[in-house]
Amino acid sequence: MQSIIFSAILDGIAALKTASKGLPNNLLRDVQAIHPNVTFADLPKELQDQIAESTRTAFTQLLKDGYAVGPRQQMQQTRPMDRVPERQRPGSNDRRGPPRGPRRPPSGEGGDRGPRGPGGGPGGGRPRKPKGKPRLG
């Protein structure tokens, strides 16, 4: 994408040079006439033509590179789903094999494990700081 923009800028500069007909004063005048509020109609005819051509070329290149290019509303409606398609399985009762890793016993069973972390579990350990403004009283 960077090369597309770079190429468009170079083509625009070349069009400005062509519009000035080789006269440095005309080139300087045309460059100084470009400002943030300039309209397309204010630009020299050669530059207008080059911008149109660069835009066509950029859109074509973006489409070739796999980008989706179009009006915003249309692109949002036809956007592909962001999910992985489901796999086709040969049989409906197929198992994928034994589970991996050791199986944990349900909670409450197999209780020779000690408390977790400092404080021994929920509500244990050091007291929490009170939330809100401190009361002065």
Side-chain angles (χ1 to χ4, degrees):
M1 187 176 306
Q2 182 181 9
S3 64
I4 294 170
I5 294 170
F6 185 69
S7 176
I9 290 171
L10 290 179
D11 291 343
I13 292 170
L16 279 172
K17 285 183 176 181
T18 303
S20 70
K21 298 179 181 37
L23 300 173
N25 290 342
N26 289 347
L27 177 62
L28 185 59
R29 183 196 67 217
D30 289 342
V31 169
Q32 288 179 338
I34 298 173
H35 53 82
N37 294 328
V38 71
T39 64
F40 188 72
D42 295 337
L43 299 173
K45 177 72 173 136
E46 291 83 356
L47 184 55
Q48 290 177 12
D49 294 342
Q50 185 57 47
I51 289 173
E53 179 62 30
S54 293
T55 304
R56 263 191 304 275
T57 304
F59 275 97
T60 303
Q61 187 63 41
L62 288 172
L63 288 171
K64 284 181 183 177
D65 290 346
Y67 289 93
V69 181
R72 176 177 285 167
Q73 293 83 10
Q74 181 183 2
M75 297 313 297
Q76 288 175 348
Q77 291 171 357
T78 61
R79 193 169 151 198
M81 297 283 291
D82 291 335
R83 66 177 198 174
V84 178
E86 295 184 24
R87 296 183 197 185
Q88 295 293 328
R89 295 185 182 155
S92 59
N93 294 332
D94 280 350
R95 288 290 193 154
R96 297 201 169 234
R100 297 179 186 169
R103 185 173 175 198
R104 292 185 182 173
S107 62
E109 296 179 17
D112 48 331
R113 290 173 42 173
R116 296 183 185 192
R126 64 179 182 202
R128 294 183 175 216
K129 290 184 177 180
K131 295 182 179 178
K133 292 184 179 179
R135 293 187 181 175
L136 301 175

